[in-house]
Every structure is written in structure tokens, then in C-alpha cells.
Amino acid sequence: MGNTGKDSIEEKTSHVIGANRPDFTAGRRSGKEKTSRGSVQQIENAGVMEEDSHPAKKRGCFARFWAHYKRHWCLYGLGGVIFLAIFLPIFFLIVFPAIAQRMVDDASLPIYSASITNPTPDSVQYSLFAGLNVPKPFSVKLKPIALNLLVDQNPPNRNPYITVQLPEQNLKGNATITVTNQTTNILDKEIFGTFLHSAVYQETFILSASGATDAYVGKLKAHISLDKKVELKGLNKLKGFGIASARAVLPAEADGTNLIAELTIPNASLVSFELGNVTLNIIVGGILLGNATMKNVYLVPGNNTVSARGVVNLKTAIMNLPAILSSQVGALTSGNIEMSASGNSTIYNGHHIDYYEKVLNALVLTTQFPLLSILMDSLTGVLGGNGGTAIPFASGYNVTNIIPLLQNLTAIAGF
């Protein structure tokens, strides 16, 4: 029984103590639950943060533009139509003609040969062989063009002296332009004479040409202007003119010919000139002694050897011999005689070609020729042909004893 009472007291005491004592385990349990719940949230948040740290890739510019275009294609289409409506007229009316004109302006125009033939008082036949370099890979078709030939002078004169008709040309790469024996009227003789003067007297001269036509590059058409200036070699006053050979003909032939010579006439240019029958004055020591005529003269580029038949007034030569010899001191020292020739007349098919005469008649050509060579060829032939004894020219003859020989020659000739 004693134990029962004791147990009862202990139960009561423990009950009272338990009632008054704080329960520390409850807080621990609560903290564990909160901690557990916090851990779950942290894990979830960590997953969200991990996803946010790797955002989706942005679309490229083209993809964004394409998406924008698909949404606004109507506006783009309308804008394209408006752009073409503005650009195409500008291209066809302004841009392409400017490009075509620039191509023609930049294209070189080398001239390989030219000729002026069959002259009449009012016309000539003109031939031209030239090139026109068209930039690759373009191909240009030029419709027929009236090509005006001009004189490049200061101030500029835009009046053509002749007009050459060029046929339709298809040009690609290093193309050629050819005109063959085209008869054309001389539009202005004074300007044509100016051109001839520059071609004959100058070392170089300018050949100017201009014209306008339609050009096609494929199906595209443009109106272009051809304006070219080409520098060419001139005849340079026929520098290099000389006498290849000469001999006297005594007695004179029926037409009065008493001098036959071979003349060398250079043509430094690439232009050929058909002159016809050209008569030159023969001048020695400033004294006009006669003339020489060259038949059917056609000067091609290079040296031309032309036969000449002359009529020399020997009486005038003998009468003025002292004056002639005194003017020849420098030449005679070298055993030569200095002779000059100037234009007298130029006749083609019976007509005087005045524009040639105007140029050539003002031109004086001077050359030297071995005097003893002329005398040897002349006197040997004359005396031997008349039954006399040929004169030995091997030695012993000089300027002093030439005069008696010439006097003897004139006596034989009947002067």
C-alpha cells in the first residue's frame, strides 16, 4: 500500500512539472518541418534560376526580316513598283545613254591608213581604214553615220571640209572601220586647203572627226556623239626630197624636153595622195631656169621615186653662169650643185586642182646633187651619140674648166 501512495504522488508531481516545463522538442520538430519545406522551395527555385540563366536564342536578321516582310508584303510590293516606275525611265533615258557615250569617248581610234584619190575641182575619193577599241565584253552596233572631217584650229572651226558616210558597224573588241573609194564633195575649199597645208607642212597634224548616230548594246538603244581627234604624221615639207639621177638630153626632144631626172619624194604620213600631173619650177641660184613635169603622181607612205621630164633654158643658164656659180660656192666646194623646185601646176584629168596648187606652189624643195655626175652622164652621151669623142672625166676637171665644157655643150645644142 505504501508503494501505491508513493506512485500516486510521483504521478501528480510529474504531471505538475510536465505542465510547467516547456516542450523543447516541439520547436525542434517545427524547425525540421520548416527546414524541410525551405529545402524543397530552394530546389524548385534553383531549377527556375537554372532555366533563366540559359534564355532561348534570338532569330537572325534575315529571319526577322522575312517575318517582317511576310507581315507587310503588300507595302513592299507597292514600294517596288514605285521604285521601278521612277528608276527605269531614269536608267533608259539618262544612265544607259551616259554609259554608252562614255564607252565611245574612251574608245581609242587608231588610223591605219587613208587615201585621197581621183581629185576634181569639187570632189575627192576618200578611203579610210581605222580601228575602234570597244571595252570587253560589250558589243556595240552603230547605225550608219555621217562622219564630218574638221580642222582642229584655234579658235575651233566646226565647219566640215568633207563628210564621209560610214555604213552600219558591228563593233566588238578591237574592231575595224573601213571606207573604200567613197566620192565626197568638198564642202569648203578654204578649210580643205587648211587641212592639206597642215598635212603637207607640219611634222604632225590633227585629224578631227565628229558625227552622231544610234548605238545598240544588245537591245538597249542610245543616241551617241562621236567626236575624235587623232594625231597623225605629216609630210613635213617633203623633207628628204632629192634627185636620184639626172642627165641632159641634147638635142632636145620634139616636145622640148632636154632634162630627164629621177626624183625621190618622201611621204612620212600614212595618207596616200593622188595628185595627177605635177609641174615644178627649176630654180638654181635664185634664177628660174625652166620646169619639170611628173606624170601621174601618186604619193604612198614611204619614199616615192618619180620620173620627171624637164625643159631647161640652157641659154639662160649660160648667160647667168657666173652669178649661178657664185651662189653655189658652198655646194661646189663639196662638188655639188644646189637646186630648188617649187610648185607650178597640178592637173588631173585635164583640170587644174586648185587646192593642191595652192599648197604645192608655196612649197620650195631644195636639194644638192653631184655636178660632175650630171656632166658625165650628159656630155658623154651627147658627144658620143653625135660621133664625137667621149670626154674623159677620170681626172683633171674642176669648177674652173667646167665653164668651157658648158659653153661647148651649148654650142653643140645650137645656142
Side-chain angles (χ1 to χ4, degrees):
M1 271 188 73
N3 290 336
T4 306
K6 187 176 180 178
D7 293 335
S8 173
I9 294 170
E10 289 177 356
E11 291 176 3
K12 291 180 181 179
T13 303
S14 62
H15 178 72
V16 173
I17 292 172
N20 297 326
R21 181 184 299 171
D23 188 358
F24 292 102
T25 61
R28 291 177 181 175
R29 288 193 301 270
S30 175
K32 288 181 179 179
E33 293 175 358
K34 291 180 179 179
T35 301
S36 177
R37 287 196 301 270
S39 299
V40 173
Q41 291 176 354
Q42 288 174 357
I43 292 171
E44 292 176 352
N45 292 336
V48 174
M49 291 177 63
E50 185 177 355
E51 293 177 358
D52 292 341
S53 64
H54 298 284
K57 290 184 178 180
K58 294 183 178 180
R59 289 180 297 177
C61 294
F62 179 77
R64 292 199 303 272
F65 171 76
W66 182 246
H68 180 77
Y69 173 78
K70 287 192 294 185
R71 289 196 301 269
H72 303 286
W73 66 269
C74 291
L75 295 178
Y76 279 103
L78 180 60
V81 172
I82 295 173
F83 172 77
L84 291 177
I86 297 173
F87 173 76
L88 290 180
I90 294 176
F91 176 79
F92 287 113
L93 298 178
I94 300 176
V95 177
F96 174 71
I99 294 173
Q101 184 65 58
R102 183 59 181 270
M103 288 173 56
V104 173
D105 292 342
D106 291 345
S108 59
L109 184 65
I111 296 179
Y112 305 120
S113 66
S115 65
I116 299 175
T117 58
N118 194 24
T120 74
D122 301 309
S123 67
V124 294
Q125 272 188 351
Y126 197 86
S127 298
L128 179 69
F129 181 55
L132 188 63
N133 187 15
V134 178
K136 295 181 179 180
F138 298 102
S139 177
V140 179
K141 180 172 74 173
L142 293 179
K143 301 301 285 183
I145 178 174
L147 194 64
N148 298 317
L149 301 187
L150 314 169
V151 171
D152 183 63
Q153 60 185 19
N154 191 17
N157 190 331
R158 303 304 295 177
N159 294 326
Y161 51 86
I162 62 174
T163 298
V164 178
Q165 302 294 331
L166 293 184
E168 183 176 297
Q169 306 283 331
N170 291 299
L171 308 175
K172 185 176 182 180
N174 294 322
T176 58
I177 296 175
T178 303
V179 177
T180 304
N181 293 335
Q182 185 176 123
T183 300
T184 177
N185 291 329
I186 300 173
L187 304 177
D188 192 311
K189 288 186 180 181
E190 183 176 352
I191 298 176
F192 187 47
T194 301
F195 160 74
L196 292 174
H197 187 276
S198 63
V200 172
Y201 279 75
Q202 297 178 183
E203 188 173 354
T204 61
F205 68 99
I206 300 296
L207 179 64
S208 298
S210 70
T213 188
D214 291 328
Y216 290 83
V217 179
K219 297 295 183 180
L220 300 179
K221 174 185 175 182
H223 190 74
I224 56 100
S225 296
L226 183 67
D227 195 353
K228 294 292 182 181
K229 294 181 180 180
V230 183
E231 185 178 59
L232 301 174
K233 284 187 175 182
L235 278 70
N236 195 22
K237 298 181 181 179
L238 299 178
K239 184 178 180 180
F241 169 81
I243 301 174
S245 64
R247 66 181 181 87
V249 179
L250 294 174
E253 296 181 359
D255 60 357
T257 298
N258 57 8
L259 176 67
I260 294 178
E262 295 287 329
L263 306 181
T264 299
I265 303 178
N267 180 0
S269 76
L270 52 77
V271 183
S272 299
F273 297 90
E274 187 174 27
L275 303 178
N277 300 334
V278 179
T279 300
L280 301 176
N281 297 319
I282 300 175
I283 303 169
V284 179
I287 298 173
L288 178 62
L289 297 182
N291 59 68
T293 298
M294 301 174 289
K295 298 284 188 179
N296 303 319
V297 178
Y298 188 89
L299 298 181
V300 299
N303 286 329
N304 298 264
T305 300
V306 183
S307 298
R309 297 170 60 83
V311 177
V312 177
N313 191 327
L314 294 179
K315 183 179 288 187
T316 301
I318 298 300
M319 290 176 58
N320 293 279
L321 192 57
I324 291 174
L325 292 177
S326 64
S327 70
Q328 300 286 317
V329 172
L332 288 173
T333 301
S334 303
N336 298 326
I337 183 171
E338 186 174 272
M339 302 179 65
S340 297
S342 64
N344 180 296
S345 65
T346 304
I347 298 175
Y348 189 86
N349 283 342
H351 299 284
H352 281 271
I353 310 301
D354 54 352
Y355 43 83
Y356 282 151
E357 290 181 345
K358 186 177 180 180
V359 173
L360 296 178
N361 291 3
L363 182 64
V364 178
L365 306 172
T366 301
T367 187
Q368 291 188 3
F369 189 79
L371 178 60
L372 292 180
S373 176
I374 297 177
L375 293 175
M376 183 186 301
D377 291 341
S378 302
L379 291 177
T380 301
V382 170
L383 297 179
N386 285 285
T389 303
I391 300 176
F393 282 97
S395 62
Y397 282 89
N398 52 41
V399 174
T400 303
N401 51 31
I402 284 175
I403 296 177
L405 287 176
L406 293 176
Q407 291 174 336
N408 185 28
L409 180 61
T410 54
I412 295 172
F415 291 103

